[in-house]
Amino acid sequence: QVQLVESGGGLVQAGESLRLSCEASGSVSSSATMGWYRQAPGNERELVAIITGDPITIYADSVKGRFTISRDNAKKTLYLQMNSLKPEDTAVYYCNVRILQDYYWGQGTQVTVSP
């Protein structure tokens, strides 16, 4: 019913930038809260940033000032602009949306930052 497809990941050097996209389909309204999460090898999945329909944004301290979350409701697309990337940003990045009591996840896109 709801599908999320991430894209834009890749291999970059420290200091470079990437822009991730998450295309949504199905019953995803402009009022739905969406977010980006990431999971590095050996670590638990952690919140990177969220954006509400208001819109209000919240960022993890580790990415605040470097990453920007945004959404295009007409295109049902969520974005994550990542600047000044660091090796510790290396992880699989996942798109998420909450609809009523259900949570939906995308497949994830790999981001690798070399020193």
Side-chain angles (χ1 to χ4, degrees), residues 2-4 22 24 27-29 32-35 37 71 78 95-99 102-106:
V2 175
Q3 290 183 310
L4 303 172
C22 172
S27 301
V28 180
S29 71
T33 296
M34 302 184 71
Y37 294 72
R71 64 197 297 171
L78 181 71
C95 178
N96 168 268
V97 62
R98 182 180 182 179
I99 302 176
D102 298 320
Y103 292 84
Y104 298 88
W105 297 90

Side-chain angles (χ1 to χ4, degrees), residues 32-37 46-53 55-60 63 67-71 78-80 94-98 103 105:
T33 296
M34 302 184 71
W36 287 98
Y37 294 72
E46 65 176 353
L47 175 68
V48 176
I50 59 172
I51 183 169
T52 70
I56 297 173
T57 58
I58 300 176
Y59 297 89
V63 307
F67 291 10
T68 302
I69 188 171
S70 62
R71 64 197 297 171
L78 181 71
Y79 302 98
L80 184 67
Y94 298 91
C95 178
N96 168 268
V97 62
R98 182 180 182 179
Y103 292 84
W105 297 90

Side-chain angles (χ1 to χ4, degrees), residues 65-85:
R66 298 187 298 120
F67 291 10
T68 302
I69 188 171
S70 62
R71 64 197 297 171
D72 186 330
N73 292 326
K75 298 180 179 180
K76 289 188 175 182
T77 302
L78 181 71
Y79 302 98
L80 184 67
Q81 178 66 44
M82 305 184 295
N83 298 328
S84 302
L85 283 163

